[in-house]
Amino acid sequence: MRFPENFWWGTAASAPQTEGESSSHGKSQSTWDRWFELEPEKFSGVGPETTSNVYNCYKEDIQLMKDMHLNSYRTSISWTRLMPDGITVNEEAVQFYRDYFKTLIEHGIEPTINLFHFDMPWWMMEKGGWTNPQITTYFEEYARQCILHFGDLVKHWVTFNEPLVHVECSYISGHHYPAIHDLRKAVVSGYHTILAHAKAIRAMKGVRNDIKVGTVLNLTPVYSGSNQEKDVIASQKAHLLIVRSFLDPMVKGIFPQELIDLLKTHELLIETDVADLDIIKTNTAEFLGVNYYQPMRVQAPQKTARVPMQTLDDLFVPFVWENRRMNPYRGWEIFPEALYDIAMMLKHDYQNIPWYVSENGMGVADEARFKDDAGMIQDDYRIEFIQEHLEVLHRGIQEGSNCFGYHLWTFVDCWSWLNGYTNRYGFISLDLDTQKRTPKKSSVWFKSFIENQSK
Ligand code: BG6
């Protein structure tokens, strides 16, 4: 498989999942820091303070990236580190991020920097987080400060990582603070997120025009459980709510009329301002990152939808495909073929926007059991997983999809939200007690895969 020249080979992570030092060097609390303090029993043993300590170890990690011939990396800035009260810029944070980004560049690794990876500042959460319209103004200013301080170094920016997730987990499924079930709040916070994305692009491009600003979405085709009309209709509704809800406004600048109609039918349509809709229309993503782990399969619910709708189950419910192949270590389906469908969807329905696989990977619980006598994790399952996904991606590129890179989640095993360190994803394993980094077999394989690209 030969990929295009200058293809991005790299990995992704985020500030809250890697930096550590979450209550020092001038940083204020994020919602995760605060939630862990309030309800530690919800977390799998480890809070956000204890991570791979990238704040202090970034030089070592970047050297390991270079050793693997990786040429790109995505992480995020911690809003609460850069602007602890939302107004004042923390000079120590500016120095840290400038050194971090400069070191990446000096090692031939192109940084893509994300503004928001689920880490809502606590001061903003106390005011309602994404449900409060004021957040769009604070976020716009934060975005502007990022370009003022780092725009000379970093040329690729993304506004959000998986915005659907903070909306869904905070206001529907209960995995993020405030962990309540309120569909109206979900719609409001989704709308404010989309407006914040557009305002951030306006502010960032207003400071410098030599940067590219995109966004990262978790995308999957929605597969219907059968060809029966009721299941197909259920899958179309899921596609509108899960895929097009963010993709269309963030990339095309408009909300799909079918989505507006669906929300109206279920009494969930909210008031919007014409001037705000105009900002959304005129400030769209220049490129897209696609996080893909597992496909979505749905079928029609048994019961008729309630009005107003109470839960998403009123419209569609999960479908378990009897032929599915599972990652038994994480409980997620493995279905590489979806990457081809995504590639074609972006080519045909989204003006063949430049995009890359910004996250793909295999989480494995209790991974230390796969260590050999020399201490190296023999993660052949991960090698096979990556290889299969690359094969499908390659086919999509050959058929004209505008994909420019592949990033694995993640580089060094990282902390993950309520799951802590349960699922390990990295090319490099982390001993949490000693902070020792040890390359896994997949890192050796990926390095030679990259080497072969230039032969
Ligand atoms: C992605 C997120 O959706 O999934 C990451 O962007 C997250 O932040 C990753 O860590 C893996 O999820 P988990 O729950 O298995 O750690």
Side-chain angles (χ1 to χ4, degrees), residues 6-65:
N6 304 321
F7 202 71
W8 279 3
W9 298 110
T11 59
S14 74
Q17 293 178 268
T18 57
E19 281 178 9
E21 302 280 1
S22 67
S23 52
S24 41
H25 303 284
K27 182 180 171 303
S28 70
Q29 282 193 317
S30 76
T31 298
W32 291 96
D33 302 322
R34 184 75 177 135
W35 199 15
F36 183 66
E37 203 172 82
L38 294 172
E39 297 182 279
E41 67 285 355
K42 285 203 184 296
F43 292 70
S44 319
V46 192
E49 179 74 45
T50 315
T51 67
S52 42
N53 191 22
V54 160
Y55 193 90
N56 299 300
C57 298
Y58 66 90
K59 289 194 173 134
E60 182 188 338
D61 287 357
I62 292 169
Q63 184 58 50
L64 287 169
M65 287 180 202

Short mmCIF file of all heavy atoms in Angstrom, two decimals, residues 6-65:
data_model
loop_
_atom_site.label_atom_id
_atom_site.label_comp_id
_atom_site.label_asym_id
_atom_site.label_seq_id
_atom_site.Cartn_x
_atom_site.Cartn_y
_atom_site.Cartn_z
N ASN A 6 3.73 13.04 1.57
CA ASN A 6 3.48 13.89 2.73
C ASN A 6 2.27 13.49 3.58
O ASN A 6 1.69 14.31 4.28
CB ASN A 6 3.31 15.37 2.33
CG ASN A 6 4.50 15.88 1.56
OD1 ASN A 6 5.64 15.53 1.89
ND2 ASN A 6 4.26 16.64 0.52
N PHE A 7 1.87 12.25 3.45
CA PHE A 7 0.76 11.76 4.26
C PHE A 7 1.11 11.91 5.74
O PHE A 7 2.26 11.70 6.13
CB PHE A 7 0.53 10.28 3.92
CG PHE A 7 -0.84 9.77 4.24
CD1 PHE A 7 -1.95 10.17 3.50
CD2 PHE A 7 -1.04 8.85 5.27
CE1 PHE A 7 -3.22 9.67 3.78
CE2 PHE A 7 -2.30 8.35 5.55
CZ PHE A 7 -3.39 8.76 4.81
N TRP A 8 0.14 12.30 6.56
CA TRP A 8 0.41 12.43 7.99
C TRP A 8 0.37 11.05 8.65
O TRP A 8 -0.66 10.35 8.61
CB TRP A 8 -0.67 13.29 8.66
CG TRP A 8 -0.47 14.76 8.53
CD1 TRP A 8 0.50 15.42 7.85
CD2 TRP A 8 -1.30 15.77 9.12
NE1 TRP A 8 0.34 16.78 7.97
CE2 TRP A 8 -0.76 17.01 8.75
CE3 TRP A 8 -2.43 15.75 9.93
CZ2 TRP A 8 -1.31 18.22 9.15
CZ3 TRP A 8 -3.00 16.95 10.32
CH2 TRP A 8 -2.44 18.17 9.95
N TRP A 9 1.47 10.69 9.29
CA TRP A 9 1.53 9.48 10.11
C TRP A 9 1.76 9.95 11.53
O TRP A 9 2.78 10.58 11.81
CB TRP A 9 2.67 8.57 9.66
CG TRP A 9 2.52 8.09 8.25
CD1 TRP A 9 3.27 8.44 7.18
CD2 TRP A 9 1.55 7.15 7.77
NE1 TRP A 9 2.84 7.80 6.05
CE2 TRP A 9 1.77 6.98 6.39
CE3 TRP A 9 0.51 6.42 8.36
CZ2 TRP A 9 1.00 6.13 5.58
CZ3 TRP A 9 -0.26 5.59 7.57
CH2 TRP A 9 -0.01 5.45 6.20
N GLY A 10 0.80 9.67 12.39
CA GLY A 10 0.99 10.20 13.73
C GLY A 10 0.03 9.61 14.74
O GLY A 10 -0.55 8.55 14.54
N THR A 11 -0.11 10.35 15.83
CA THR A 11 -0.98 9.91 16.92
C THR A 11 -1.72 11.12 17.48
O THR A 11 -1.39 12.26 17.16
CB THR A 11 -0.16 9.26 18.05
OG1 THR A 11 0.78 10.22 18.52
CG2 THR A 11 0.56 7.99 17.60
N ALA A 12 -2.71 10.83 18.31
CA ALA A 12 -3.49 11.91 18.92
C ALA A 12 -3.63 11.68 20.41
O ALA A 12 -3.57 10.55 20.89
CB ALA A 12 -4.88 11.96 18.28
N ALA A 13 -3.79 12.80 21.11
CA ALA A 13 -4.03 12.77 22.56
C ALA A 13 -4.71 14.09 22.93
O ALA A 13 -5.12 14.85 22.04
CB ALA A 13 -2.71 12.60 23.31
N SER A 14 -4.82 14.36 24.20
CA SER A 14 -5.40 15.64 24.60
C SER A 14 -4.72 16.12 25.87
O SER A 14 -4.11 15.31 26.60
CB SER A 14 -6.90 15.49 24.86
OG SER A 14 -7.12 14.80 26.08
N ALA A 15 -4.85 17.42 26.14
CA ALA A 15 -4.21 17.99 27.34
C ALA A 15 -4.69 17.31 28.62
O ALA A 15 -3.87 16.81 29.40
CB ALA A 15 -4.47 19.49 27.38
N PRO A 16 -6.01 17.24 28.86
CA PRO A 16 -6.42 16.68 30.16
C PRO A 16 -6.06 15.22 30.34
O PRO A 16 -5.98 14.73 31.46
CB PRO A 16 -7.94 16.87 30.18
CG PRO A 16 -8.34 17.10 28.76
CD PRO A 16 -7.16 17.73 28.09
N GLN A 17 -5.84 14.51 29.25
CA GLN A 17 -5.55 13.07 29.37
C GLN A 17 -4.07 12.77 29.47
O GLN A 17 -3.70 11.61 29.63
CB GLN A 17 -6.15 12.33 28.17
CG GLN A 17 -7.68 12.36 28.17
CD GLN A 17 -8.26 11.67 26.96
OE1 GLN A 17 -8.52 12.31 25.94
NE2 GLN A 17 -8.46 10.38 27.05
N THR A 18 -3.23 13.80 29.33
CA THR A 18 -1.79 13.54 29.33
C THR A 18 -0.97 14.46 30.24
O THR A 18 0.04 14.01 30.77
CB THR A 18 -1.20 13.70 27.90
OG1 THR A 18 -1.49 15.02 27.44
CG2 THR A 18 -1.76 12.67 26.95
N GLU A 19 -1.36 15.71 30.36
CA GLU A 19 -0.44 16.68 30.95
C GLU A 19 -0.09 16.44 32.41
O GLU A 19 1.05 16.64 32.82
CB GLU A 19 -1.02 18.10 30.81
CG GLU A 19 -0.83 18.68 29.44
CD GLU A 19 -1.45 20.06 29.29
OE1 GLU A 19 -1.88 20.67 30.30
OE2 GLU A 19 -1.52 20.54 28.15
N GLY A 20 -1.08 16.04 33.21
CA GLY A 20 -0.84 16.00 34.66
C GLY A 20 -0.73 17.43 35.18
O GLY A 20 -1.19 18.37 34.51
N GLU A 21 -0.15 17.60 36.38
CA GLU A 21 0.00 18.96 36.96
C GLU A 21 -1.34 19.72 36.83
O GLU A 21 -1.35 20.90 36.48
CB GLU A 21 1.11 19.75 36.25
CG GLU A 21 2.48 19.10 36.29
CD GLU A 21 3.23 19.31 37.61
OE1 GLU A 21 2.70 19.95 38.53
OE2 GLU A 21 4.37 18.79 37.71
N SER A 22 -2.43 19.03 37.13
CA SER A 22 -3.73 19.63 36.82
C SER A 22 -4.15 20.69 37.84
O SER A 22 -5.15 21.39 37.62
CB SER A 22 -4.80 18.55 36.69
OG SER A 22 -5.02 17.96 37.94
N SER A 23 -3.40 20.80 38.94
CA SER A 23 -3.77 21.88 39.87
C SER A 23 -2.55 22.73 40.22
O SER A 23 -2.47 23.29 41.30
CB SER A 23 -4.40 21.28 41.13
OG SER A 23 -3.55 20.28 41.64
N SER A 24 -1.61 22.80 39.28
CA SER A 24 -0.43 23.63 39.57
C SER A 24 -0.06 24.49 38.36
O SER A 24 -0.72 24.41 37.33
CB SER A 24 0.76 22.74 39.96
OG SER A 24 0.81 21.61 39.16
N HIS A 25 0.98 25.28 38.52
CA HIS A 25 1.48 26.17 37.47
C HIS A 25 0.38 27.11 36.97
O HIS A 25 0.28 27.39 35.78
CB HIS A 25 2.07 25.37 36.30
CG HIS A 25 3.17 24.45 36.72
ND1 HIS A 25 4.43 24.88 37.02
CD2 HIS A 25 3.17 23.11 36.92
CE1 HIS A 25 5.19 23.85 37.39
NE2 HIS A 25 4.44 22.77 37.34
N GLY A 26 -0.45 27.54 37.90
CA GLY A 26 -1.45 28.57 37.57
C GLY A 26 -2.73 28.04 36.96
O GLY A 26 -3.63 28.81 36.63
N LYS A 27 -2.85 26.74 36.80
CA LYS A 27 -4.06 26.17 36.17
C LYS A 27 -5.22 26.18 37.17
O LYS A 27 -5.04 25.85 38.34
CB LYS A 27 -3.76 24.74 35.71
CG LYS A 27 -4.92 24.08 35.01
CD LYS A 27 -4.56 22.65 34.58
CE LYS A 27 -5.76 21.89 34.07
NZ LYS A 27 -6.86 21.80 35.02
N SER A 28 -6.41 26.52 36.66
CA SER A 28 -7.60 26.40 37.51
C SER A 28 -8.25 25.05 37.25
O SER A 28 -7.84 24.31 36.36
CB SER A 28 -8.57 27.55 37.26
OG SER A 28 -9.17 27.41 35.98
N GLN A 29 -9.29 24.74 38.01
CA GLN A 29 -9.92 23.42 37.88
C GLN A 29 -10.79 23.31 36.64
O GLN A 29 -11.57 24.22 36.33
CB GLN A 29 -10.80 23.14 39.09
CG GLN A 29 -10.02 22.72 40.32
CD GLN A 29 -10.94 22.15 41.39
OE1 GLN A 29 -12.00 22.69 41.64
NE2 GLN A 29 -10.52 21.06 42.01
N SER A 30 -10.67 22.18 35.97
CA SER A 30 -11.64 21.87 34.92
C SER A 30 -12.77 21.09 35.60
O SER A 30 -12.67 20.71 36.77
CB SER A 30 -11.00 21.00 33.84
OG SER A 30 -10.87 19.68 34.31
N THR A 31 -13.82 20.84 34.84
CA THR A 31 -14.93 20.08 35.40
C THR A 31 -14.48 18.69 35.83
O THR A 31 -14.97 18.14 36.82
CB THR A 31 -16.05 20.00 34.35
OG1 THR A 31 -16.48 21.33 34.11
CG2 THR A 31 -17.23 19.19 34.85
N TRP A 32 -13.50 18.12 35.10
CA TRP A 32 -13.02 16.78 35.45
C TRP A 32 -12.28 16.80 36.78
O TRP A 32 -12.45 15.91 37.61
CB TRP A 32 -12.13 16.23 34.33
CG TRP A 32 -12.98 15.94 33.13
CD1 TRP A 32 -13.17 16.76 32.06
CD2 TRP A 32 -13.82 14.80 32.92
NE1 TRP A 32 -14.08 16.19 31.18
CE2 TRP A 32 -14.48 14.98 31.68
CE3 TRP A 32 -14.07 13.64 33.64
CZ2 TRP A 32 -15.38 14.05 31.16
CZ3 TRP A 32 -14.97 12.71 33.13
CH2 TRP A 32 -15.61 12.91 31.90
N ASP A 33 -11.44 17.83 36.98
CA ASP A 33 -10.71 17.95 38.25
C ASP A 33 -11.70 18.06 39.41
O ASP A 33 -11.57 17.42 40.44
CB ASP A 33 -9.82 19.21 38.25
CG ASP A 33 -8.82 19.22 37.10
OD1 ASP A 33 -8.30 18.15 36.77
OD2 ASP A 33 -8.60 20.30 36.52
N ARG A 34 -12.72 18.89 39.20
CA ARG A 34 -13.69 19.15 40.26
C ARG A 34 -14.57 17.93 40.52
O ARG A 34 -14.85 17.58 41.67
CB ARG A 34 -14.55 20.35 39.83
CG ARG A 34 -15.54 20.80 40.85
CD ARG A 34 -14.85 21.55 42.00
NE ARG A 34 -15.85 22.03 42.94
CZ ARG A 34 -15.73 21.93 44.25
NH1 ARG A 34 -14.66 21.40 44.79
NH2 ARG A 34 -16.67 22.40 45.03
N TRP A 35 -14.97 17.28 39.44
CA TRP A 35 -15.86 16.11 39.58
C TRP A 35 -15.15 14.99 40.33
O TRP A 35 -15.72 14.32 41.18
CB TRP A 35 -16.32 15.64 38.19
CG TRP A 35 -17.55 14.77 38.19
CD1 TRP A 35 -18.44 14.61 39.22
CD2 TRP A 35 -18.03 13.96 37.11
NE1 TRP A 35 -19.45 13.74 38.84
CE2 TRP A 35 -19.22 13.33 37.55
CE3 TRP A 35 -17.59 13.71 35.81
CZ2 TRP A 35 -19.97 12.46 36.75
CZ3 TRP A 35 -18.34 12.85 35.01
CH2 TRP A 35 -19.51 12.24 35.47
N PHE A 36 -13.86 14.83 40.04
CA PHE A 36 -13.09 13.77 40.72
C PHE A 36 -13.01 14.07 42.22
O PHE A 36 -13.09 13.18 43.06
CB PHE A 36 -11.69 13.65 40.12
CG PHE A 36 -10.87 12.54 40.73
CD1 PHE A 36 -11.24 11.22 40.58
CD2 PHE A 36 -9.74 12.83 41.48
CE1 PHE A 36 -10.50 10.18 41.16
CE2 PHE A 36 -9.00 11.81 42.07
CZ PHE A 36 -9.38 10.48 41.91
N GLU A 37 -12.88 15.38 42.53
CA GLU A 37 -12.83 15.79 43.94
C GLU A 37 -14.19 15.51 44.62
O GLU A 37 -14.24 15.03 45.75
CB GLU A 37 -12.56 17.30 43.95
CG GLU A 37 -11.96 17.86 45.19
CD GLU A 37 -11.57 19.32 44.94
OE1 GLU A 37 -12.45 20.21 45.02
OE2 GLU A 37 -10.41 19.56 44.63
N LEU A 38 -15.27 15.77 43.89
CA LEU A 38 -16.61 15.61 44.46
C LEU A 38 -17.06 14.15 44.54
O LEU A 38 -17.65 13.74 45.53
CB LEU A 38 -17.65 16.38 43.61
CG LEU A 38 -17.54 17.90 43.57
CD1 LEU A 38 -18.50 18.47 42.53
CD2 LEU A 38 -17.84 18.49 44.94
N GLU A 39 -16.81 13.38 43.48
CA GLU A 39 -17.32 12.00 43.44
C GLU A 39 -16.25 11.03 42.90
O GLU A 39 -16.43 10.46 41.82
CB GLU A 39 -18.56 11.94 42.54
CG GLU A 39 -19.73 12.76 43.04
CD GLU A 39 -20.95 12.63 42.14
OE1 GLU A 39 -20.99 13.33 41.10
OE2 GLU A 39 -21.84 11.84 42.46
N PRO A 40 -15.17 10.84 43.66
CA PRO A 40 -14.08 9.99 43.14
C PRO A 40 -14.54 8.56 42.85
O PRO A 40 -13.97 7.89 41.99
CB PRO A 40 -13.04 10.01 44.27
CG PRO A 40 -13.76 10.52 45.48
CD PRO A 40 -14.89 11.36 45.00
N GLU A 41 -15.59 8.11 43.54
CA GLU A 41 -16.05 6.72 43.35
C GLU A 41 -16.58 6.48 41.94
O GLU A 41 -16.68 5.34 41.49
CB GLU A 41 -17.11 6.36 44.40
CG GLU A 41 -18.44 7.08 44.32
CD GLU A 41 -18.43 8.55 44.81
OE1 GLU A 41 -17.42 9.03 45.31
OE2 GLU A 41 -19.49 9.22 44.65
N LYS A 42 -16.90 7.55 41.20
CA LYS A 42 -17.39 7.37 39.83
C LYS A 42 -16.26 7.00 38.87
O LYS A 42 -16.48 6.54 37.76
CB LYS A 42 -18.04 8.67 39.33
CG LYS A 42 -19.41 8.93 39.89
CD LYS A 42 -20.16 9.87 38.95
CE LYS A 42 -21.52 10.28 39.47
NZ LYS A 42 -22.47 9.22 39.61
N PHE A 43 -15.02 7.32 39.28
CA PHE A 43 -13.86 7.12 38.40
C PHE A 43 -13.22 5.77 38.70
O PHE A 43 -13.27 5.31 39.83
CB PHE A 43 -12.84 8.23 38.65
CG PHE A 43 -13.31 9.60 38.21
CD1 PHE A 43 -14.32 10.28 38.89
CD2 PHE A 43 -12.74 10.22 37.11
CE1 PHE A 43 -14.76 11.54 38.48
CE2 PHE A 43 -13.16 11.48 36.70
CZ PHE A 43 -14.17 12.14 37.39
N SER A 44 -12.60 5.17 37.66
CA SER A 44 -11.95 3.88 37.90
C SER A 44 -10.62 4.06 38.59
O SER A 44 -9.55 3.80 38.02
CB SER A 44 -11.71 3.14 36.59
OG SER A 44 -12.78 3.27 35.76
N GLY A 45 -10.66 4.55 39.77
CA GLY A 45 -9.45 4.62 40.61
C GLY A 45 -8.54 5.81 40.39
O GLY A 45 -7.96 6.31 41.33
N VAL A 46 -8.42 6.29 39.17
CA VAL A 46 -7.40 7.31 38.89
C VAL A 46 -8.06 8.60 38.40
O VAL A 46 -8.91 8.57 37.51
CB VAL A 46 -6.43 6.84 37.78
CG1 VAL A 46 -5.23 7.76 37.68
CG2 VAL A 46 -5.99 5.41 38.03
N GLY A 47 -7.64 9.71 38.97
CA GLY A 47 -8.19 11.00 38.56
C GLY A 47 -7.27 11.71 37.57
O GLY A 47 -6.20 11.20 37.23
N PRO A 48 -7.69 12.90 37.12
CA PRO A 48 -6.93 13.61 36.07
C PRO A 48 -5.58 14.17 36.52
O PRO A 48 -4.78 14.60 35.70
CB PRO A 48 -7.88 14.73 35.65
CG PRO A 48 -8.87 14.87 36.75
CD PRO A 48 -8.94 13.56 37.45
N GLU A 49 -5.33 14.17 37.85
CA GLU A 49 -4.03 14.68 38.32
C GLU A 49 -2.91 13.71 37.91
O GLU A 49 -1.81 14.09 37.58
CB GLU A 49 -4.08 14.82 39.85
CG GLU A 49 -2.80 15.30 40.51
CD GLU A 49 -2.54 16.79 40.29
OE1 GLU A 49 -3.47 17.59 40.44
OE2 GLU A 49 -1.39 17.14 39.95
N THR A 50 -3.28 12.42 37.92
CA THR A 50 -2.28 11.38 37.67
C THR A 50 -2.38 10.94 36.21
O THR A 50 -3.21 10.13 35.85
CB THR A 50 -2.57 10.16 38.57
OG1 THR A 50 -2.86 10.64 39.86
CG2 THR A 50 -1.40 9.20 38.59
N THR A 51 -1.55 11.45 35.40
CA THR A 51 -1.56 11.03 33.99
C THR A 51 -0.12 10.72 33.60
O THR A 51 0.72 10.49 34.46
CB THR A 51 -2.14 12.13 33.08
OG1 THR A 51 -1.23 13.21 33.11
CG2 THR A 51 -3.52 12.57 33.53
N SER A 52 0.16 10.74 32.30
CA SER A 52 1.52 10.41 31.87
C SER A 52 2.48 11.60 32.02
O SER A 52 3.59 11.57 31.51
CB SER A 52 1.51 9.90 30.43
OG SER A 52 0.64 10.67 29.65
N ASN A 53 2.02 12.65 32.72
CA ASN A 53 2.92 13.71 33.14
C ASN A 53 3.66 14.39 31.98
O ASN A 53 4.85 14.71 32.07
CB ASN A 53 3.93 13.13 34.16
CG ASN A 53 4.73 14.20 34.86
OD1 ASN A 53 4.31 15.35 34.92
ND2 ASN A 53 5.89 13.83 35.35
N VAL A 54 2.93 14.60 30.91
CA VAL A 54 3.54 15.21 29.71
C VAL A 54 4.03 16.63 29.99
O VAL A 54 4.95 17.13 29.34
CB VAL A 54 2.52 15.13 28.54
CG1 VAL A 54 2.84 16.13 27.45
CG2 VAL A 54 2.52 13.70 27.97
N TYR A 55 3.42 17.28 30.98
CA TYR A 55 3.86 18.64 31.32
C TYR A 55 5.38 18.64 31.56
O TYR A 55 6.08 19.57 31.20
CB TYR A 55 3.13 19.15 32.57
CG TYR A 55 3.31 20.63 32.80
CD1 TYR A 55 2.42 21.54 32.25
CD2 TYR A 55 4.38 21.13 33.55
CE1 TYR A 55 2.57 22.91 32.45
CE2 TYR A 55 4.54 22.49 33.76
CZ TYR A 55 3.64 23.37 33.20
OH TYR A 55 3.80 24.73 33.38
N ASN A 56 5.85 17.55 32.17
CA ASN A 56 7.28 17.46 32.46
C ASN A 56 8.05 16.55 31.50
O ASN A 56 9.26 16.66 31.39
CB ASN A 56 7.49 16.97 33.90
CG ASN A 56 6.88 17.95 34.89
OD1 ASN A 56 7.27 19.12 34.94
ND2 ASN A 56 5.89 17.50 35.64
N CYS A 57 7.33 15.64 30.84
CA CYS A 57 8.03 14.61 30.03
C CYS A 57 7.89 14.80 28.52
O CYS A 57 8.17 13.85 27.76
CB CYS A 57 7.47 13.22 30.36
SG CYS A 57 7.70 12.73 32.04
N TYR A 58 7.41 15.95 28.07
CA TYR A 58 7.12 16.05 26.63
C TYR A 58 8.36 15.86 25.75
O TYR A 58 8.27 15.31 24.65
CB TYR A 58 6.36 17.36 26.30
CG TYR A 58 7.15 18.62 26.53
CD1 TYR A 58 7.93 19.17 25.53
CD2 TYR A 58 7.09 19.27 27.76
CE1 TYR A 58 8.65 20.33 25.75
CE2 TYR A 58 7.81 20.42 27.99
CZ TYR A 58 8.59 20.95 26.99
OH TYR A 58 9.30 22.09 27.21
N LYS A 59 9.51 16.26 26.26
CA LYS A 59 10.72 16.14 25.41
C LYS A 59 11.04 14.67 25.15
O LYS A 59 11.37 14.29 24.03
CB LYS A 59 11.91 16.84 26.06
CG LYS A 59 11.72 18.34 26.01
CD LYS A 59 12.97 19.12 26.32
CE LYS A 59 12.69 20.59 26.06
NZ LYS A 59 13.13 21.49 27.09
N GLU A 60 10.92 13.87 26.20
CA GLU A 60 11.18 12.43 26.07
C GLU A 60 10.19 11.80 25.08
O GLU A 60 10.55 11.02 24.20
CB GLU A 60 11.02 11.78 27.45
CG GLU A 60 11.30 10.31 27.49
CD GLU A 60 10.93 9.69 28.86
OE1 GLU A 60 10.86 10.42 29.88
OE2 GLU A 60 10.70 8.48 28.87
N ASP A 61 8.92 12.19 25.21
CA ASP A 61 7.89 11.61 24.32
C ASP A 61 8.12 12.02 22.87
O ASP A 61 7.96 11.22 21.95
CB ASP A 61 6.48 12.05 24.78
CG ASP A 61 6.08 11.33 26.06
OD1 ASP A 61 6.85 10.46 26.53
OD2 ASP A 61 5.00 11.62 26.58
N ILE A 62 8.50 13.26 22.67
CA ILE A 62 8.69 13.74 21.29
C ILE A 62 9.89 13.02 20.65
O ILE A 62 9.86 12.67 19.47
CB ILE A 62 8.84 15.28 21.28
CG1 ILE A 62 7.49 15.91 21.66
CG2 ILE A 62 9.32 15.79 19.92
CD1 ILE A 62 7.53 17.40 21.95
N GLN A 63 10.92 12.75 21.45
CA GLN A 63 12.06 11.99 20.92
C GLN A 63 11.60 10.58 20.48
O GLN A 63 11.98 10.08 19.43
CB GLN A 63 13.16 11.90 21.98
CG GLN A 63 14.43 11.22 21.50
CD GLN A 63 15.05 11.91 20.26
OE1 GLN A 63 15.24 13.13 20.26
NE2 GLN A 63 15.32 11.15 19.20
N LEU A 64 10.72 9.97 21.29
CA LEU A 64 10.20 8.64 20.93
C LEU A 64 9.37 8.71 19.64
O LEU A 64 9.39 7.80 18.82
CB LEU A 64 9.34 8.07 22.07
CG LEU A 64 10.10 7.60 23.32
CD1 LEU A 64 9.14 7.32 24.47
CD2 LEU A 64 10.91 6.33 23.01
N MET A 65 8.64 9.80 19.47
CA MET A 65 7.85 9.97 18.23
C MET A 65 8.79 10.06 17.03
O MET A 65 8.56 9.45 15.99
CB MET A 65 7.03 11.28 18.27
CG MET A 65 5.86 11.26 19.19
SD MET A 65 5.01 12.86 19.14
CE MET A 65 4.16 12.81 20.70
#
